[in-house]
Amino acid sequence: MANRDGFSGKLGFILAAAGSAVGLGNIWRFPYLAGQNGGAIFLLVYLICIFLLCYPIMVGEIAIGRSAGRDAYGSYTKLGGKRWGLLGLFGILAGVFILSFYNVVAGWAFGYFLNISFGDLLNESDYASYFGGFVNDIVNLKSAEGITKSNLIFSLLFMVITAFIVGQGIQKGIELANKIMMPALYLILLGLIGYALTLPNAMAGVRFYLVPDFSELRIQTVFDGLKQAFFSLSLGMGCLITYGSYLNKDQNIPSSAAIISIADTSVAFFSGLMIFPLVHFLQYKLQITGVATAGPPLIFIVLPQIFQEMGPVLGRIMGGAFFLLICFAALTSTISLLEVHVAYLVDQHKMSRKRVVWILALLIFVLGLPSMMSQGMVPSLNKLLFYRGQDFLTFISDMCDISLTLGGCLVCIFVVRTWKIKNMNVELNYGNSNYQNSFLRTYINFAITYICPVLLGILSVLIILEKFIGLEVLF
Ligand code: PHE
């Protein structure tokens, strides 16, 4: 395809793909899922899922994208015919829904960043009710210092920043933004870990996080580990196909995919290494227990309390740094999500990138409103009758998780039955002439042909049943 923008080289691609992978999934979701699933044992299951199941699929997706050189829909259609194009569309649609709720949570983090750094958030006395008010009342909250607390405004701003970056194109927008934000993110994270490890009782947190207790292993741990691994690596919805399509033939895909997986996993790992010492410090300080299992609000309710304990100056610096870290992580992911949809419209419908970006951003923002209003503002969205009384945001996020694992299973079927493993291997040989005779090739081929589709198929069906009829009924 003529005149298609592309990454400038290996570093640009790796940073952008790692930026897509590193996100709220690593810093918000991974720690709370680990907290709920026994800490170290969850980490272990997660690592197995990443390297056994996800890595080969990542290699496959990038190869599909680079071979076809088109957006997700176009790539499947080019390599497998119109029927497979549906899988591309399915992924693009999943991406639209992910971005719709993701942007809401990113808006919360952005609001916390502004209100800790420049507002009065650290003067609150009850962070659970603060968070409840913040997510519930989406328009009216006004802080004493004049900074708005409206999460409607924060998510709108977040979407505007995302659209602005994507509108600049691949090299001048996405690549540049990632080259700045990714190193900054690592620096902030390492700084925060260094600090967290010096706090009293930090080692109890490290133990909880690193010493597995096998009696905590449950089927739920496996479900959560798998869905988290897929979400975290941005797999199963065409994101890496799209990024792969901007990659040059002289780049080594298996090694890039390994670096991306390690970069992503290390951020999740380090987030746990920062959060659990902080959480155990708080438990010690306030003489309470069970903080680690707080669930989705973990970072919004527990962490501000910790920053408050640090005093007004240090708390503002550490708290501001922490929420800035989350904003950077979220932004590198929202731009990749929006790029999937933009690439589709630009490639397939020859629309102008600049225009399409703003239209899509607005539409997806509006699509996120029910998720935003489901946190208490609208009772019928807060307790969905058809979804066992859970809220709409949880429902959408669960449906997206299911689409990603199912999508991963279908990617394997596509490669094996339609595109053919031998064509994938030819593609992977470009930029890596030793690949053909390597053990890695044998493993990736075996995993994509047998292990991944079978395990992902079974687990996806079990997860669907679990979501709709409940685990108690299932087992
Ligand atoms: N991987 C991102 C995260 O961990 C989320 C994401 C999913 C981004 C799918 C793009 C595509 O936060």
Side-chain angles (χ1 to χ4, degrees):
M1 206 165 279
N3 294 333
R4 224 168 164 264
D5 200 355
F7 290 109
S8 62
K10 184 171 173 150
L11 183 69
F13 170 72
I14 288 182
L15 279 179
S20 165
V22 171
L24 292 170
N26 306 58
I27 307 174
W28 165 62
R29 214 165 85 149
F30 176 81
Y32 87 68
L33 284 176
Q36 286 176 326
N37 283 295
I41 190 70
F42 179 79
L43 179 62
L44 194 65
V45 170
Y46 177 75
L47 290 177
I48 294 175
C49 290
I50 293 274
F51 291 105
L52 194 73
L53 297 175
C54 295
Y55 171 72
I57 296 181
M58 178 183 279
V59 170
E61 281 200 26
I62 301 176
I64 293 173
R66 189 174 69 179
S67 170
R70 303 200 178 154
D71 64 291
Y73 168 82
S75 294
Y76 280 118
T77 315
K78 181 171 173 193
L79 303 179
K82 275 246 173 309
R83 273 214 330 235
W84 278 105
L86 289 179
L87 178 57
L89 288 181
F90 175 73
I92 291 170
L93 201 66
V96 166
F97 282 103
I98 295 179
L99 185 53
S100 79
F101 83 80
Y102 200 91
N103 186 58
V104 172
V105 182
W108 299 344
F110 190 37
Y112 266 54
F113 163 65
L114 292 178
N115 279 293
I116 284 196
S117 303
F118 310 107
D120 56 0
L121 197 140
L122 289 181
N123 301 333
E124 294 298 322
S125 55
D126 177 355
Y127 284 104
S129 56
Y130 178 87
F131 180 67
F134 182 80
V135 295
N136 177 343
D137 183 353
I138 67 169
V139 264
N140 287 326
L141 287 170
K142 199 89 181 127
S143 125
E145 292 176 23
I147 295 178
T148 177
K149 288 184 186 162
S150 153
N151 70 63
L152 185 73
I153 307 271
F154 294 133
S155 5
L156 186 61
L157 281 176
F158 211 86
M159 192 59 105
V160 167
I161 299 173
T162 305
F164 175 78
I165 296 173
V166 177
Q168 304 301 308
I170 302 300
Q171 276 193 32
K172 292 205 195 93
I174 298 181
E175 189 174 320
L176 182 65
N178 278 295
K179 278 187 170 159
I180 298 169
M181 284 190 285
M182 289 301 284
L185 183 149
Y186 270 97
L187 279 181
I188 300 176
L189 186 57
L190 293 178
L192 286 168
I193 294 177
Y195 177 74
L197 289 177
T198 61
L199 292 170
N201 208 33
M203 285 308 133
V206 175
R207 258 194 312 281
F208 171 76
Y209 186 50
L210 294 184
V211 184
D213 173 359
F214 286 91
S215 67
E216 291 274 341
L217 183 61
R218 300 188 169 65
I219 183 82
Q220 186 69 47
T221 318
V222 178
F223 288 170
D224 283 350
L226 180 73
K227 71 174 199 203
Q228 175 60 14
F230 261 79
F231 183 79
S232 192
L233 289 181
S234 313
L235 290 180
M237 46 74 68
C239 190
L240 289 164
I241 296 183
T242 310
Y243 273 14
S245 72
Y246 300 119
L247 194 61
N248 291 332
K249 287 277 190 214
D250 57 0
Q251 304 297 335
N252 181 337
I253 294 181
S255 95
S256 301
I259 299 175
I260 296 163
S261 306
I262 291 170
D264 181 64
T265 309
S266 65
V267 174
F269 176 76
F270 286 143
S271 301
L273 202 57
M274 161 186 62
I275 286 178
F276 291 111
L278 288 176
V279 163
H280 282 76
F281 160 68
L282 187 74
Q283 302 203 138
Y284 164 80
K285 184 103 189 194
L286 305 182
Q287 292 300 314
I288 46 173
T289 52
V291 180
T293 53
L298 180 70
I299 63 165
F300 294 104
I301 294 179
V302 178
L303 292 192
Q305 220 164 320
I306 297 165
F307 299 129
Q308 189 180 51
E309 288 293 324
M310 293 176 184
V313 178
L314 192 61
R316 221 176 252 262
I317 297 174
M318 289 294 166
F322 176 79
F323 283 100
L324 183 65
L325 163 75
I326 300 197
C327 290
F328 279 169
L331 194 56
T332 53
S333 297
T334 51
I335 54 185
S336 75
L337 282 159
L338 192 59
E339 174 59 26
V340 174
H341 319 131
V342 169
Y344 166 67
L345 291 175
V346 171
D347 281 359
Q348 298 300 321
H349 300 281
K350 309 281 170 275
M351 296 167 88
S352 118
R353 169 175 285 269
K354 286 240 162 14
R355 176 143 9 114
V356 138
V357 157
W358 292 104
I359 299 173
L360 270 175
L362 184 69
L363 281 178
I364 297 174
F365 173 74
V366 172
L367 202 65
L369 292 178
S371 293
M372 196 186 293
M373 294 189 291
S374 73
Q375 300 303 298
M377 186 180 180
V378 178
S380 55
L381 289 173
N382 187 243
K383 290 202 168 17
L384 294 179
L385 290 177
F386 66 91
Y387 202 57
R388 298 191 296 134
Q390 310 232 44
D391 65 55
F392 188 78
L393 193 151
T394 309
F395 169 68
I396 290 289
S397 132
D398 285 351
M399 292 308 107
C400 292
D401 284 333
I402 293 171
S403 335
L404 299 189
T405 43
L406 262 182
C409 178
L410 292 171
V411 169
C412 299
I413 297 177
F414 168 77
V415 170
V416 174
R417 306 206 35 175
T418 307
W419 190 33
K420 305 293 181 210
I421 287 275
K422 71 171 191 320
N423 289 322
M424 181 181 78
N425 288 338
V426 169
E427 184 60 41
L428 293 176
N429 230 23
Y430 295 124
N432 180 0
S433 46
N434 299 330
Y435 179 72
Q436 210 50 265
N437 302 318
S438 63
F439 169 74
L440 192 64
R441 184 192 65 100
T442 316
Y443 174 68
I444 290 178
N445 290 358
F446 184 72
I448 290 196
T449 314
Y450 303 105
I451 311 179
C452 299
V454 172
L455 280 182
L456 287 176
I458 297 175
L459 283 167
S460 301
V461 172
L462 285 178
I463 295 178
I464 295 174
L465 293 174
E466 184 247 330
K467 290 294 172 205
F468 284 95
I469 61 175
L471 203 58
E472 316 76 51
V473 188
L474 251 186
F475 295 98

